[in-house]
């Protein structure tokens, strides 16, 4: 009979009846992503030099090819092969069977018993994914490059019935800001495959480089693949610092073919991205006639968004059609990604050719001109037998008929696209941008900003509740994006991607009802052990100590770590904590005096990560109620508005999550004390970095109230004074007992013509309001 025995059928019936998923409490079944159904059984199967391999005669040669990499692993790490058998009888055998009744192409069934392993798959990729599960059940020493003579290659017995939730599970890599070698790209593809992701999004062109050889336009790589200087430090720094070392690199078409074939053998689809109409500086530096102004241009060494984009004249469309024709021939993917994001309209508004295009096509504005651009390129891509993907800006002005949308500016673009009947890949920056900080420690390597620890990646659900059953079918899946502005080398890139990619894998594969972060946190260390053996420079921020300000009878610091079986040792006098320091057990009072808290996470008597360290100031506003009143605006905050009075000053750059930011209408901030409090000084500490649109307010009026109702002024500070004081507004007055403090803020607003970035909305960044 079929390999699923009566015993197994009963087990799965039990499983289905009670909708149970194994919440593993040990590392015995450390599979990531967790299988849809896993039933543990007693004992283990041992792979050895006597183990044979049998393929059912209904399987074609592609199934045997899917087994090739696993056999190579064994040869390299265990020193033996798996010879083919002509019979499926006997013991110590791996039996592979075709099962056309499986609902999904990537599904598989796996039975591991003491005497044999049986795998059922509908397609070769299902077999490949079954082997990735077996790989993770084997000891981590399987990842060694030399044979281990002492390892027992035991696989714990179990029954698995598995299939993915989403058909699209992707990882993106930007190779333009910093060139990534072919060897490193292949390394990422290896890791994508092991975690059952199925798509590698290769971002090949941008303002900072053109990385793919186009034979008809050689200057794209002789000119566009190289830049003369690169920004050092953060883009928000003022003044900016430069590395004037020329740098560059590109992939020949032969190298592209090699990588595509490498990915094919691992069942990974590569989607190339050719940016248009924006992020085109490298292209127009190579061929200035493709721009509106005619140049000349330099390939950019800065990060950001730039005004010189592709012009909408016919010559540009002919160029792009030629480019996409060569790209389509290199990549068998059904998709080509055409970007479509962050396209300024400044040049188009002043360009005779673009304005004439709008007139000829009956377009009302430049947003509709971008839509025209995208739709015209979709026609080209269709002619090449492909479909387009674009970032969610392609929704503006009207979306191309058959476009798939990658929603990166939150989930709103994805919701809108799905409701319009378009396929969607969810990749919101707040949950899926691997260039964000992954711990709150100020000693973390420089990143673009934001805060995305691994548990936040894991928590994301691409099936957003705003969609009904009819529209939710358009959510194809999920992707994480790795933008490399602040990742100059391979080790830094690995540190930002791993192990967060493991959380991504579980988001894409595992149903929401089966996700369990506690279980994931137990399985993750075994994957980290594999990374150790592979030589991957993964982040250990999983073990970091997190400090959270809470109001619990006064402002207190709560310390925690998401890693299981971990203790926290701390000090409050600024000394370095050791294994002999006190073990944290309850929140620590802060804010009454200056103090420095340091803490370490410890597991098995070993310090697991760099120490948490935070300096606290004395601030009478600490832990008091903060009310932010505004009529219209967008703000970014941690813990409500409480990071305005958490007794810690914001780190650099100002984009870090310990800053409070706001852009919009004038407003006010009120601090409400629990009891009458004597005060004599208020400091509003903000940033004034005009090069990145960060401005202190035009003015702030400071008011106090003794009864909580009637306010009277105690001082005012103007923008010029704050700018001269590096963003600080300070008022001092005779001591007063007050119930409330109010700061009436006149925002700087739209940047005037006399300043850089004129016409843009300014942003306010505040790190602390200090009351003495």
């Amino acid at each position: 009979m079929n390999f699923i025995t009566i015993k197994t059928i009963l087990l799965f019936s039990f499983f289905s009846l009670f909708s149970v998923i194994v919440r593993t409490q040990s590392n015995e079944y450390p599979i990531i992503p967790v299988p849809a159904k896993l039933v543990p059984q007693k004992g283990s199967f041992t792979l050895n030099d006597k183990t044979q391999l049998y393929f059912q005669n209904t399987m074609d040669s592609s199934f045997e090819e899917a087994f090739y990499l696993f056999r190579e692993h064994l040869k390299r790490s265990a020193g033996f092969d798996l010879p083919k058998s002509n019979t499926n009888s006997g013991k110590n055998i791996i039996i592979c069977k075709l099962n056309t009744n499986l609902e999904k192409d990537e599904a598989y069934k796996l039975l591991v018993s003491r005497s044999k392993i049986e795998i059922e798959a509908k397609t070769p990729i299902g077999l490949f994914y079954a082997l990735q599960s077996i790989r993770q059940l084997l000891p981590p020493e399987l990842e060694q490059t030399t044979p281990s003579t002492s390892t027992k290659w035991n696989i714990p017995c179990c029954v698995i019935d598995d299939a993915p939730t989403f058909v699209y599970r992707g990882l993106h890599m930007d190779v333009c800001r910093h060139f990534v070698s072919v060897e490193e790209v292949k390394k990422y593809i290896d890791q994508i495959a092991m975690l059952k992701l199925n798509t590698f999004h290769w971002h090949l062109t941008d303002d900072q480089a053109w990385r793919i050889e186009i034979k008809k336009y050689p200057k794209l790589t002789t000119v566009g693949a190289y830049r003369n200087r690169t920004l050092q430090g953060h883009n928000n720094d003022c003044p900016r610092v430069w590395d004037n070392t020329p740098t560059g690199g590109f992939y020949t078409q032969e190298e592209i073919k090699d990588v595509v074939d490498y990915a094919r053998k691992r069942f990974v689809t590569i989607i190339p991205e050719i940016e248009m109409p924006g992020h085109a500086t490298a292209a127009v530096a190579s061929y200035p006639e493709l721009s509106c102004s005619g140049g000349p241009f330099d390939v950019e060494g800065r990060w950001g968004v730039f005004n010189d984009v592709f012009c909408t004249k016919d010559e540009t469309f002919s160029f792009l059609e030629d480019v996409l024709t060569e790209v389509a021939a290199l990549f068998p993917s059904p998709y080509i990604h055409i970007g479509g994001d962050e396209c300024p309209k400044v040049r188009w508004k002043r360009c005779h050719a673009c304005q004439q295009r709008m007139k000829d096509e009956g377009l009302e504005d430049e947003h509709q001109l971008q839509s025209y651009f995208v739709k015209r390129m979709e026609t080209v891509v269709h002619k090449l037998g492909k479909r387009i993907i674009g970032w969610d800006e392609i929704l503006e002005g009207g979306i191309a008929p058959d476009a798939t949308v990658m929603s990166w500016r939150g989930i709103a673009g994805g919701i809108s696209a799905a409701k319009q009947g378009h396929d969607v890949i969810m990749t919101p920056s707040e949950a899926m941008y691997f260039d964000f900080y992954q711990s709150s420690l100020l000693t973390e390597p420089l990143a673009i900003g934001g805060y995305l620890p691994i548990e936040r990646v894991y928590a994301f659900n691409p099936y957003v509740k705003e969609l009904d059953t009819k529209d939710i079918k358009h959510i194809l899946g999920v992707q994480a994006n790795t933008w490399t502005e602040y990742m100059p080398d391979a080790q830094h890139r690995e540190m930002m991607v791993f192990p967060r990619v493991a959380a991504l894998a579980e988001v894409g594969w595992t149903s929401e009802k089966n996700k369990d972060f506690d279980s994931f946190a137990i399985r993750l260390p075994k994957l980290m052990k594999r990374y150790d053996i592979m030589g991957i420079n993964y982040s250990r921020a999983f073990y970091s100590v997190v400090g959270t300000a809470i109001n619990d009878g006064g402002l207190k610091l709560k310390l925690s770590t998401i890693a299981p079986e971990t203790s926290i040792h701390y000090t409050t006098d600024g000394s370095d904590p050791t294994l002999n320091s006190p073990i944290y057990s309850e929140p620590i009072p802060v804010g009454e005096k200056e103090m420095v808290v340091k803490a370490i996470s410890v597991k098995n008597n070993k310090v697991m990560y760099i120490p948490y360290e935070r300096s606290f100031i004395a601030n009478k506003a600490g832990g008091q109620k903060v009310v932010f009143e505004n009529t219209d605006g967008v703000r970014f905050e941690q813990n409500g508005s409480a990071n305005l009075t958490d007794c810690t000053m914001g780190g650099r750059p100002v984009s870090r999550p310990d800053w409070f930011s706001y852009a919009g209408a004038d407003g006010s901030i009120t601090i409400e004390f629990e009891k009458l409090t004597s005060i004599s000084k208020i400091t509003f500490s903000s940033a004034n970095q005009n090069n990145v649109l960060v401005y202190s307010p035009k003015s702030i009026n400071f008011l106090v109230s003794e009864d909580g109702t009637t306010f009277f002024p105690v001082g005012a500070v103007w923008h010029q004074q704050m700018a001269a004081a590096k963003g600080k507004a300070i008022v001092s007055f005779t001591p007063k007992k007050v119930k409330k403090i109010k700061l009436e803020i006149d925002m700087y607003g739209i940047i005037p013509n006399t300043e850089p970035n004129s016409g843009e909305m300014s942003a306010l960044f505040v790190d602390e309001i200090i009351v003495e």
Side-chain angles (χ1 to χ4, degrees):
M1 67 178 295
N2 202 348
F3 89 90
I4 299 182
T5 63
I6 297 298
K7 179 180 178 181
T8 306
I9 292 171
L10 290 173
L11 280 168
F12 272 119
S13 298
F14 175 87
F15 197 105
S16 300
L17 180 62
F18 292 98
S19 300
V20 176
I21 181 171
V22 176
R23 306 296 188 187
T24 47
Q25 298 303 311
S26 70
N27 274 339
E28 189 177 5
Y29 300 97
I31 301 173
I32 297 176
V34 67
K37 298 176 182 177
L38 187 155
V39 180
Q41 294 186 314
K42 293 181 179 180
S44 63
F45 176 88
T46 301
L47 283 173
N48 54 41
D49 56 3
K50 300 294 190 297
T51 305
Q52 293 188 302
L53 180 59
Y54 173 81
F55 290 94
Q56 187 184 58
N57 57 15
T58 54
M59 286 181 152
D60 60 42
S61 61
S62 62
F63 284 86
E64 294 189 35
E65 291 173 5
F67 219 106
Y68 169 77
L69 292 175
F70 184 78
R71 294 177 70 180
E72 290 299 301
H73 255 98
L74 280 179
K75 280 193 246 183
R76 182 188 65 202
S77 304
F80 58 82
D81 196 359
L82 296 173
K84 285 179 61 177
S85 171
N86 294 322
T87 176
N88 62 359
S89 61
K91 298 181 179 180
N92 200 4
I93 190 170
I94 300 175
I95 301 170
C96 302
K97 293 184 177 183
L98 185 68
N99 185 347
T100 58
N101 293 322
L102 293 176
E103 183 177 351
K104 297 182 178 180
D105 287 346
E106 296 175 299
Y108 67 92
K109 292 178 183 287
L110 174 65
L111 170 63
V112 181
S113 67
R114 287 187 174 96
S115 61
K116 60 185 175 181
I117 295 175
E118 299 183 61
I119 305 170
E120 288 189 3
K122 182 178 182 179
T123 66
I125 192 171
L127 175 59
F128 182 83
Y129 286 156
L131 294 171
Q132 301 316 303
S133 292
I134 292 173
R135 176 182 180 180
Q136 292 189 49
L137 291 174
L138 282 163
E141 287 75 15
L142 184 67
E143 313 306 333
Q144 293 179 175
T145 56
T146 55
S148 171
T149 57
S150 58
T151 303
K152 297 294 184 183
W153 303 105
N154 294 333
I155 305 170
C157 293
C158 58
V159 179
I160 294 175
D161 189 352
D162 201 8
T165 299
F166 294 101
V167 297
Y168 186 106
R169 306 177 302 280
L171 178 66
H172 157 286
M173 177 60 68
D174 159 29
V175 299
C176 299
R177 275 65 180 213
H178 294 285
F179 184 64
V180 178
S181 70
V182 167
E183 291 72 25
E184 187 180 345
V185 170
K186 289 180 176 180
K187 193 173 185 178
Y188 279 99
I189 291 170
D190 284 335
Q191 298 308 312
I192 286 171
M194 183 177 72
L195 293 172
K196 303 185 181 79
L197 299 171
N198 60 10
T199 306
F200 177 60
H201 175 175
W202 207 353
H203 184 82
L204 291 164
T205 73
D206 215 300
D207 296 298
Q208 293 76 20
W210 185 285
R211 299 296 192 201
I212 178 172
E213 178 190 22
I214 303 297
K215 293 186 181 295
K216 190 168 183 176
Y217 298 99
K219 288 183 182 179
L220 288 172
T221 46
T222 59
V223 175
Y226 298 89
R227 60 177 181 261
N228 293 322
R229 63 176 188 168
T230 300
L231 185 68
Q232 298 296 289
H234 200 279
N235 201 49
N236 291 355
D237 291 346
C238 187
R240 287 179 169 140
V241 178
W242 296 93
D243 179 346
N244 293 307
T245 306
T247 183
F250 66 94
Y251 309 104
T252 68
Q253 292 199 3
E254 288 306 309
E255 287 174 322
I256 294 282
K257 292 174 184 176
D258 175 52
V259 173
V260 168
D261 186 61
Y262 189 88
R264 179 190 62 80
K265 293 174 180 176
R266 290 153 180 80
F267 299 93
V268 173
T269 297
I270 299 181
I271 295 178
E273 181 178 1
I274 307 297
E275 274 274 14
M276 61 184 80
H279 287 293
T281 307
V284 299
S286 306
Y287 295 95
E289 63 271 22
L290 301 174
S291 70
C292 293
S293 66
F297 310 102
D298 291 324
V299 178
E300 272 296 344
R302 296 175 294 162
W303 323 130
V305 178
F306 304 97
N307 288 334
D308 288 294
V309 302
F310 283 123
C311 186
T312 60
K313 54 193 172 185
D314 287 337
E315 295 90 329
T316 304
F317 292 114
S318 296
F319 162 83
L320 289 170
E321 182 169 359
D322 292 339
V323 167
L324 293 179
T325 298
E326 291 195 31
V327 170
L330 293 169
F331 294 91
S333 162
Y335 293 105
I336 292 178
H337 200 302
I338 63 166
D341 63 312
E342 298 177 327
C343 179
K345 311 301 190 292
V346 175
R347 297 290 186 260
W348 287 356
K349 289 180 179 180
R350 300 173 182 174
C351 174
H352 172 75
C354 292
Q355 292 302 307
Q356 187 63 44
R357 175 75 68 187
M358 290 171 58
K359 183 178 179 180
D360 292 344
E361 299 295 336
L363 306 175
E364 295 181 3
D365 56 28
E366 286 73 18
H367 290 291
Q368 287 192 3
L369 181 59
Q370 178 166 342
S371 177
Y372 166 84
F373 193 113
V374 172
K375 289 175 181 177
R376 185 159 173 173
M377 296 317 301
E378 182 184 43
T379 300
V380 171
V381 172
H382 273 180
K383 188 170 68 174
L384 296 170
K386 310 282 187 180
R387 296 176 61 192
I388 67 166
I389 297 180
W391 303 108
D392 56 58
E393 284 94 331
I394 67 173
L395 290 164
E396 298 168 4
I399 188 171
D402 198 32
T404 296
V405 172
M406 276 192 174
S407 187
W408 74 275
R409 297 178 300 177
I411 61 174
I415 293 170
S416 175
K419 287 182 176 180
Q420 295 177 51
H422 291 272
D423 288 342
V424 173
I425 297 157
M426 286 295 191
T427 178
S429 59
E430 65 271 18
M432 288 289 140
Y433 266 43
F434 285 178
D435 52 344
F436 284 13
Y437 288 99
Q438 51 196 319
S439 93
S440 59
L441 303 186
L442 299 181
T443 48
E444 279 284 301
L446 184 66
I448 195 169
Y451 178 48
L452 184 58
I454 193 169
E455 63 269 28
R456 287 193 184 177
V457 178
Y458 192 90
F460 179 62
N461 179 10
Y463 279 149
V464 294
K465 61 184 178 181
E466 291 83 352
L467 293 174
D468 59 25
T469 304
K470 174 177 64 70
D471 297 327
I472 209 165
K473 67 183 180 182
H474 289 294
I475 305 299
L476 300 184
V478 64
Q479 176 175 292
N481 296 330
T482 310
W483 302 103
T484 61
E485 289 97 330
Y486 303 98
M487 305 179 201
D489 53 51
Q491 286 214 322
H492 199 150
R493 288 186 286 272
E494 289 179 0
M495 188 273 295
M496 298 299 283
V497 171
F498 304 100
R500 286 190 288 192
V501 67
L504 164 69
E506 202 137 304
V507 170
W509 184 276
T510 305
S511 67
E512 191 67 17
K513 68 177 182 179
N514 283 352
K515 284 170 60 182
D516 177 14
F517 186 79
D518 290 340
S519 167
F520 176 79
I522 291 171
R523 288 175 279 123
L524 187 61
K526 202 66 168 282
L527 179 63
M528 290 177 169
K529 177 63 176 175
R530 292 184 185 276
Y531 289 160
D532 285 331
I533 296 173
M534 293 173 182
I536 292 177
N537 184 47
Y538 64 92
S539 170
R540 290 169 173 79
F542 171 70
Y543 291 104
S544 68
V545 174
V546 177
T548 306
I550 61 172
N551 190 0
D552 181 18
L555 187 65
K556 295 182 180 180
L557 177 67
K558 178 183 177 182
L559 300 178
S560 62
T561 176
I562 60 172
E565 302 174 354
T566 305
S567 60
I568 297 172
H569 298 247
Y570 75 103
T571 62
T572 59
D573 59 2
S575 63
D576 292 333
T578 68
L579 298 178
N580 296 320
S581 298
I583 296 177
Y584 171 82
S585 59
E586 61 183 7
I588 305 164
V590 295
E592 295 183 1
K593 62 180 180 179
E594 291 187 1
M595 63 189 299
V596 178
V597 177
K598 295 184 179 181
I600 53 175
S601 59
V602 175
K603 183 177 182 179
N604 298 328
N605 290 320
K606 179 182 177 183
V607 177
M608 300 304 293
Y609 196 54
I610 54 180
Y612 169 90
E613 179 177 344
R614 201 70 170 178
S615 297
F616 291 87
I617 61 173
N619 186 357
K620 291 182 178 180
Q624 305 303 314
K625 183 179 179 181
V626 177
V627 179
F628 189 92
E629 300 171 359
N630 68 289
T631 56
D632 185 31
V634 177
R635 55 182 170 163
F636 174 79
E637 57 198 37
Q638 294 284 95
N639 194 24
S641 302
N643 61 331
L644 288 168
T645 56
D646 59 4
C647 299
T648 66
M649 306 303 288
R652 297 288 171 171
V654 296
S655 55
R656 288 187 62 96
D658 38 21
W659 288 78
F660 177 97
S661 70
Y662 170 74
D666 302 336
S668 67
I669 299 174
T670 302
I671 300 172
E672 302 178 2
F673 294 94
E674 291 182 355
K675 59 184 179 180
L676 279 172
T677 302
S678 178
I679 68 170
S680 60
K681 184 179 180 180
I682 306 172
T683 300
F684 178 89
S685 180
S686 67
N688 191 61
Q689 293 184 216
N690 304 164
N691 63 313
V692 289
L693 287 74
V694 174
Y695 283 78
S696 295
K698 284 183 180 178
S699 66
I700 305 177
N701 289 318
F702 294 83
L703 305 98
V704 298
S705 173
E706 295 178 350
D707 61 5
T709 302
T710 304
F711 288 85
F712 55 89
V714 291
V717 180
W718 304 94
H719 175 79
Q720 292 82 354
Q721 297 168 289
M722 286 181 262
K726 297 183 178 179
K728 285 186 171 57
I730 304 172
V731 294
S732 298
F733 42 88
T734 56
K736 303 180 185 300
K737 288 188 176 181
V738 304
K739 185 68 174 175
K740 292 182 180 181
I741 296 171
K742 180 178 286 189
L743 284 69
E744 294 180 340
I745 300 172
D746 184 6
M747 292 288 290
Y748 195 86
I750 301 296
I751 300 170
N753 292 334
T754 55
E755 302 293 333
N757 305 302
S758 62
E760 299 284 343
M761 173 63 76
S762 66
L764 172 65
F765 277 76
V766 187
D767 62 347
E768 191 77 357
I769 299 173
I770 308 165
V771 180
E772 302 174 55

